[in-house]
Amino acid sequence: MSQGWIEVCEVGEIDEEDVIRFDHGAVSLAVYRSDKDKYYATDGFCTHERVHLSDGLVMGSVIECPKHNGRFDYTTGAAKKTPACEALKTYPVQIEAGKVYVQID
Amino acid sequence: MTEAGIVIVGAGEAGARAALELRECGWTGSITLIGKESRAPYERPPLSKSALVEESEPSPAFILDETKLDRLRIQLITDSKVSEIDRNGRNVLMEDGCRIPYHRLLLTTGASPRKLALEGSDTSGVLGLRSFGDALAIRSRLLPGKHIVVIGGGFIGLEVAASAREKGCEVTIVEVGPRILMRGVPLPIAEVVEARHRSAGVEFKLGIGLAKIELEGDRYAIILADGTVVRCDTIIAGIGAIPETSLAAACGLDIDNGIVVNDKLTTSDPHIYAAGDCCSFPHALYDGQRIRLEAWRNAQDQGIVAARNMAGASESYAAVPWFWSDQYDLTLQVAGLPDRAATMVRRESPDGGFQVYFHLAEDGRIVAASGIGRGGLAKEIRVAEMLIEREARPDPASLMNPEVKLKTLLAL
């Protein structure tokens, strides 16, 4: 893997249609595996309050905040339901040799 | 004379969310939001938690700020009290003599903390918690080494107690009931909460009432019913809340444990709606029984549904009741109404991080789920909420088995 790509986990360590937390230095991410077996990554904390999205439920392409039920499309970061109104930052993800990598700038 | 638009009395969560939703769903007329506090609408959940313990001076988490109010043309009137609703003329009368005409009126007047009343005692110094101002007053008393007595083992009292311990106060909780969290939380979860508080050093006086409160200089002596004396610096009462129904009652709207609304959140006057803590509504999931909730999400969602209906929609409100509480490193969540169940089954996460109870009616229908712990708890409760919504009858053995993903039960 070229520079800037960080190993997150083995593929399969994230259940289908689920999310895990991944911390790297000062950055905390939520890394998703979609119901279509694709991987995505966003900022870990909800843009509404400091609640980690990896504790929330993934439904299709949507992650729901476990506290206040704000919703985001984790494939684009777009806010979908109040009280979330500010988009989530997303990060590029790649799969190589059975491992999930994320690019943190 | 201004054109009659939508007037919202009560600028808390429900009122503010309704104002936002009115613009969201295309209402172009005027929106007037009337609040009795001096601040723009803000979120209340942090008041018993971060607002009390944060190092830096807290500021409210505003739902609507000036920019949003301007952009959405929402007129916010603060520090203001409504004296009367004139239903015939469809006017709201303000204490300062102003009249505001309405096309539709929404009452989101909330609830007020029940005041501690004790014959022969001066309870004027007893603090309660509802507003940001109340939180600041409590915050200023949570100094290391001070002794705080919390009256009432409900959520507000327990969250304040946890915050006070975090600030290094000595804390005693006095609860007249035999255990904490008597309302809506099963015994095993209340036991986990109590044990967590005890391990943090909180002292409990359970099953015992108050006899008298005496002032001793700038301190208090609380005399309990059995004669025990508890001396402290500050008393905080968390003994429930009373729905604010006085305006509604005075103009002749039906009242029954809150302002009576139907499933569309309309009161007994078709031009007036009510939402949030102040109203009682029939719930389709519980045989149409009338319930009233004091919960953040209910206030928000009812505000939104009332707004849509005032703007011409005809939506029924039937969301699954849900709330959470954070104390120390524990989160507690309840979806549905556990007291409507006949039995419960337990699931523990494989790593022991949390436990969930599923509450089943006699016919096997799942009517509630409650849980406590860390980590993945919220996901389990969220899926349980969907099962409750669908009136599912999941196999109890699957519910108990943590190896069975709850999501798979949704597909059945």
Short mmCIF file of all heavy atoms in Angstrom, two decimals, chain A residues 49, chain B residues 10-14 36-37 41-49 51 61 63 108-111 129-135 156 159 277 296 324:
data_model
loop_
_atom_site.label_atom_id
_atom_site.label_comp_id
_atom_site.label_asym_id
_atom_site.label_seq_id
_atom_site.Cartn_x
_atom_site.Cartn_y
_atom_site.Cartn_z
N GLU A 49 -23.40 15.89 18.50
CA GLU A 49 -22.75 15.90 19.80
C GLU A 49 -21.68 14.83 19.79
O GLU A 49 -21.66 13.97 18.92
CB GLU A 49 -23.77 15.60 20.91
CG GLU A 49 -24.26 16.84 21.62
CD GLU A 49 -25.05 16.50 22.86
OE1 GLU A 49 -24.50 15.83 23.74
OE2 GLU A 49 -26.22 16.89 22.92
N GLY B 10 -44.36 27.82 23.98
CA GLY B 10 -43.41 26.90 24.60
C GLY B 10 -42.22 26.71 23.68
O GLY B 10 -42.36 26.10 22.62
N ALA B 11 -41.06 27.23 24.07
CA ALA B 11 -39.89 27.21 23.18
C ALA B 11 -38.84 26.21 23.66
O ALA B 11 -37.65 26.50 23.70
CB ALA B 11 -39.30 28.61 23.04
N GLY B 12 -39.29 25.02 24.03
CA GLY B 12 -38.37 23.94 24.36
C GLY B 12 -38.13 23.08 23.14
O GLY B 12 -38.28 23.52 21.99
N GLU B 13 -37.76 21.82 23.37
CA GLU B 13 -37.44 20.90 22.28
C GLU B 13 -38.61 20.76 21.30
O GLU B 13 -38.43 20.90 20.09
CB GLU B 13 -37.09 19.53 22.88
CG GLU B 13 -36.61 18.51 21.87
CD GLU B 13 -35.20 18.80 21.35
OE1 GLU B 13 -34.34 19.25 22.15
OE2 GLU B 13 -34.96 18.60 20.15
N ALA B 14 -39.80 20.47 21.81
CA ALA B 14 -40.94 20.21 20.93
C ALA B 14 -41.29 21.45 20.11
O ALA B 14 -41.51 21.38 18.90
CB ALA B 14 -42.15 19.74 21.74
N LYS B 36 -40.82 31.34 27.67
CA LYS B 36 -40.78 32.13 28.90
C LYS B 36 -39.35 32.36 29.39
O LYS B 36 -39.11 33.20 30.24
CB LYS B 36 -41.65 31.50 29.99
CG LYS B 36 -41.20 30.13 30.43
CD LYS B 36 -42.14 29.59 31.51
CE LYS B 36 -41.68 28.20 31.91
NZ LYS B 36 -42.61 27.52 32.79
N GLU B 37 -38.39 31.61 28.83
CA GLU B 37 -37.01 31.84 29.24
C GLU B 37 -36.39 32.96 28.39
O GLU B 37 -36.92 33.34 27.36
CB GLU B 37 -36.20 30.55 29.06
CG GLU B 37 -36.61 29.46 30.06
CD GLU B 37 -35.70 28.23 29.95
OE1 GLU B 37 -34.48 28.41 29.89
OE2 GLU B 37 -36.24 27.12 29.92
N PRO B 41 -34.21 28.59 22.10
CA PRO B 41 -34.39 27.18 22.44
C PRO B 41 -33.08 26.40 22.46
O PRO B 41 -32.25 26.56 21.57
CB PRO B 41 -35.29 26.66 21.33
CG PRO B 41 -35.99 27.86 20.80
CD PRO B 41 -35.04 29.00 20.97
N TYR B 42 -32.92 25.56 23.47
CA TYR B 42 -31.69 24.77 23.59
C TYR B 42 -32.06 23.37 24.02
O TYR B 42 -33.19 23.09 24.44
CB TYR B 42 -30.75 25.42 24.63
CG TYR B 42 -31.39 25.60 25.98
CD1 TYR B 42 -31.39 24.59 26.93
CD2 TYR B 42 -32.06 26.79 26.30
CE1 TYR B 42 -32.00 24.74 28.15
CE2 TYR B 42 -32.68 26.96 27.53
CZ TYR B 42 -32.64 25.94 28.45
OH TYR B 42 -33.27 26.09 29.66
N GLU B 43 -31.07 22.47 23.94
CA GLU B 43 -31.31 21.06 24.29
C GLU B 43 -31.13 20.85 25.79
O GLU B 43 -30.16 21.31 26.38
CB GLU B 43 -30.34 20.19 23.51
CG GLU B 43 -30.55 20.36 22.01
CD GLU B 43 -29.87 19.30 21.18
OE1 GLU B 43 -29.39 18.31 21.76
OE2 GLU B 43 -29.85 19.45 19.95
N ARG B 44 -32.06 20.11 26.39
CA ARG B 44 -32.01 19.91 27.83
C ARG B 44 -31.19 18.70 28.31
O ARG B 44 -30.73 18.71 29.44
CB ARG B 44 -33.43 19.81 28.41
CG ARG B 44 -34.22 21.09 28.28
CD ARG B 44 -35.54 21.01 29.06
NE ARG B 44 -36.47 22.01 28.55
CZ ARG B 44 -36.45 23.28 28.92
NH1 ARG B 44 -35.58 23.70 29.80
NH2 ARG B 44 -37.31 24.14 28.40
N PRO B 45 -31.04 17.63 27.49
CA PRO B 45 -30.33 16.45 28.04
C PRO B 45 -28.98 16.75 28.70
O PRO B 45 -28.66 16.14 29.72
CB PRO B 45 -30.18 15.54 26.82
CG PRO B 45 -31.38 15.84 25.99
CD PRO B 45 -31.57 17.34 26.15
N PRO B 46 -28.16 17.68 28.19
CA PRO B 46 -26.85 17.89 28.85
C PRO B 46 -26.95 18.54 30.23
O PRO B 46 -25.96 18.57 30.96
CB PRO B 46 -26.11 18.84 27.88
CG PRO B 46 -26.86 18.76 26.59
CD PRO B 46 -28.27 18.47 26.96
N LEU B 47 -28.12 19.07 30.58
CA LEU B 47 -28.21 19.88 31.81
C LEU B 47 -27.89 19.08 33.07
O LEU B 47 -27.38 19.63 34.04
CB LEU B 47 -29.61 20.51 31.95
CG LEU B 47 -30.03 21.46 30.83
CD1 LEU B 47 -31.38 22.08 31.15
CD2 LEU B 47 -28.99 22.55 30.58
N SER B 48 -28.21 17.79 33.08
CA SER B 48 -27.94 16.98 34.28
C SER B 48 -26.58 16.30 34.19
O SER B 48 -26.17 15.61 35.12
CB SER B 48 -29.05 15.93 34.43
OG SER B 48 -29.22 15.21 33.22
N LYS B 49 -25.91 16.46 33.06
CA LYS B 49 -24.66 15.73 32.83
C LYS B 49 -23.52 16.72 32.54
O LYS B 49 -22.97 17.31 33.47
CB LYS B 49 -24.88 14.72 31.69
CG LYS B 49 -26.06 13.76 32.01
CD LYS B 49 -26.36 12.78 30.90
CE LYS B 49 -27.37 13.25 29.89
NZ LYS B 49 -28.76 12.93 30.20
N ALA B 51 -23.26 19.75 31.48
CA ALA B 51 -23.35 21.14 31.96
C ALA B 51 -22.94 21.25 33.43
O ALA B 51 -22.52 22.31 33.88
CB ALA B 51 -24.77 21.68 31.76
N ALA B 61 -26.65 24.25 24.34
CA ALA B 61 -26.61 23.72 22.97
C ALA B 61 -27.86 24.20 22.27
O ALA B 61 -28.94 23.63 22.42
CB ALA B 61 -26.55 22.19 23.00
N ILE B 63 -30.80 24.98 19.75
CA ILE B 63 -31.46 24.32 18.63
C ILE B 63 -31.69 25.35 17.52
O ILE B 63 -31.59 25.06 16.34
CB ILE B 63 -32.82 23.72 19.07
CG1 ILE B 63 -32.62 22.78 20.26
CG2 ILE B 63 -33.50 22.99 17.92
CD1 ILE B 63 -33.91 22.38 20.96
N THR B 108 -46.72 23.64 23.41
CA THR B 108 -45.57 22.80 23.78
C THR B 108 -45.03 23.37 25.09
O THR B 108 -43.90 23.83 25.17
CB THR B 108 -44.48 22.84 22.69
OG1 THR B 108 -44.28 24.21 22.29
CG2 THR B 108 -44.89 22.04 21.47
N THR B 109 -45.91 23.35 26.09
CA THR B 109 -45.62 24.05 27.35
C THR B 109 -44.80 23.21 28.31
O THR B 109 -44.40 23.69 29.37
CB THR B 109 -46.94 24.47 28.02
OG1 THR B 109 -47.87 23.38 27.93
CG2 THR B 109 -47.55 25.67 27.30
N GLY B 110 -44.57 21.93 27.97
CA GLY B 110 -43.65 21.12 28.77
C GLY B 110 -44.19 20.72 30.12
O GLY B 110 -45.41 20.59 30.32
N ALA B 111 -43.29 20.52 31.05
CA ALA B 111 -43.65 20.11 32.41
C ALA B 111 -42.74 20.87 33.37
O ALA B 111 -41.68 21.36 32.99
CB ALA B 111 -43.46 18.61 32.58
N LEU B 129 -34.31 20.88 38.80
CA LEU B 129 -33.60 21.00 37.54
C LEU B 129 -34.54 20.88 36.36
O LEU B 129 -35.19 19.84 36.16
CB LEU B 129 -32.51 19.92 37.43
CG LEU B 129 -31.70 19.90 36.13
CD1 LEU B 129 -31.05 21.23 35.83
CD2 LEU B 129 -30.64 18.80 36.18
N ARG B 130 -34.63 21.94 35.58
CA ARG B 130 -35.37 21.92 34.34
C ARG B 130 -34.69 22.80 33.28
O ARG B 130 -34.55 22.40 32.15
CB ARG B 130 -36.81 22.42 34.58
CG ARG B 130 -37.69 22.42 33.35
CD ARG B 130 -38.24 21.05 33.04
NE ARG B 130 -38.97 20.99 31.78
CZ ARG B 130 -39.51 19.89 31.29
NH1 ARG B 130 -39.42 18.76 31.96
NH2 ARG B 130 -40.13 19.90 30.13
N SER B 131 -34.28 23.99 33.72
CA SER B 131 -33.75 24.96 32.75
C SER B 131 -32.23 25.05 32.85
O SER B 131 -31.60 24.55 33.78
CB SER B 131 -34.34 26.33 33.03
OG SER B 131 -33.85 26.80 34.28
N PHE B 132 -31.65 25.73 31.88
CA PHE B 132 -30.21 25.97 31.89
C PHE B 132 -29.82 26.78 33.14
O PHE B 132 -28.78 26.52 33.76
CB PHE B 132 -29.79 26.72 30.62
CG PHE B 132 -28.31 26.85 30.48
CD1 PHE B 132 -27.54 25.76 30.10
CD2 PHE B 132 -27.68 28.05 30.73
CE1 PHE B 132 -26.16 25.86 29.99
CE2 PHE B 132 -26.30 28.17 30.62
CZ PHE B 132 -25.54 27.07 30.24
N GLY B 133 -30.68 27.73 33.50
CA GLY B 133 -30.44 28.51 34.72
C GLY B 133 -30.40 27.62 35.96
O GLY B 133 -29.55 27.80 36.84
N ASP B 134 -31.32 26.65 36.03
CA ASP B 134 -31.32 25.69 37.15
C ASP B 134 -29.99 24.94 37.18
O ASP B 134 -29.41 24.70 38.25
CB ASP B 134 -32.44 24.65 36.99
CG ASP B 134 -33.83 25.25 37.08
OD1 ASP B 134 -33.98 26.36 37.64
OD2 ASP B 134 -34.78 24.61 36.58
N ALA B 135 -29.50 24.54 35.99
CA ALA B 135 -28.26 23.77 35.92
C ALA B 135 -27.09 24.61 36.42
O ALA B 135 -26.23 24.12 37.15
CB ALA B 135 -28.00 23.30 34.48
N ILE B 156 -33.45 12.01 36.81
CA ILE B 156 -32.83 13.32 37.04
C ILE B 156 -31.97 13.26 38.29
O ILE B 156 -30.80 13.66 38.29
CB ILE B 156 -33.91 14.42 37.18
CG1 ILE B 156 -34.65 14.62 35.87
CG2 ILE B 156 -33.29 15.72 37.68
CD1 ILE B 156 -33.91 15.42 34.83
N GLU B 159 -28.79 11.08 37.72
CA GLU B 159 -27.79 11.73 36.85
C GLU B 159 -27.10 12.88 37.59
O GLU B 159 -25.88 13.06 37.48
CB GLU B 159 -28.44 12.22 35.55
CG GLU B 159 -28.81 11.06 34.62
CD GLU B 159 -29.48 11.51 33.33
OE1 GLU B 159 -29.61 12.73 33.10
OE2 GLU B 159 -29.88 10.63 32.54
N ASP B 277 -43.94 16.92 26.49
CA ASP B 277 -44.21 16.53 27.88
C ASP B 277 -45.60 16.96 28.38
O ASP B 277 -46.10 16.40 29.33
CB ASP B 277 -43.19 17.19 28.84
CG ASP B 277 -41.78 16.69 28.63
OD1 ASP B 277 -41.52 16.05 27.60
OD2 ASP B 277 -40.93 16.96 29.50
N TRP B 296 -36.89 13.25 25.65
CA TRP B 296 -36.34 14.13 24.62
C TRP B 296 -36.81 13.76 23.23
O TRP B 296 -37.27 14.60 22.46
CB TRP B 296 -34.81 14.05 24.72
CG TRP B 296 -34.07 14.84 23.72
CD1 TRP B 296 -33.77 16.18 23.80
CD2 TRP B 296 -33.54 14.38 22.48
NE1 TRP B 296 -33.07 16.55 22.68
CE2 TRP B 296 -32.92 15.48 21.86
CE3 TRP B 296 -33.53 13.13 21.84
CZ2 TRP B 296 -32.28 15.37 20.63
CZ3 TRP B 296 -32.90 13.03 20.61
CH2 TRP B 296 -32.29 14.14 20.02
N TRP B 324 -32.95 7.42 27.08
CA TRP B 324 -31.67 6.91 27.57
C TRP B 324 -31.27 7.72 28.79
O TRP B 324 -31.78 8.81 29.04
CB TRP B 324 -30.61 7.02 26.49
CG TRP B 324 -29.90 8.34 26.47
CD1 TRP B 324 -28.72 8.63 27.11
CD2 TRP B 324 -30.31 9.56 25.85
NE1 TRP B 324 -28.38 9.95 26.89
CE2 TRP B 324 -29.34 10.54 26.13
CE3 TRP B 324 -31.43 9.92 25.08
CZ2 TRP B 324 -29.43 11.86 25.67
CZ3 TRP B 324 -31.51 11.22 24.63
CH2 TRP B 324 -30.53 12.17 24.92
#
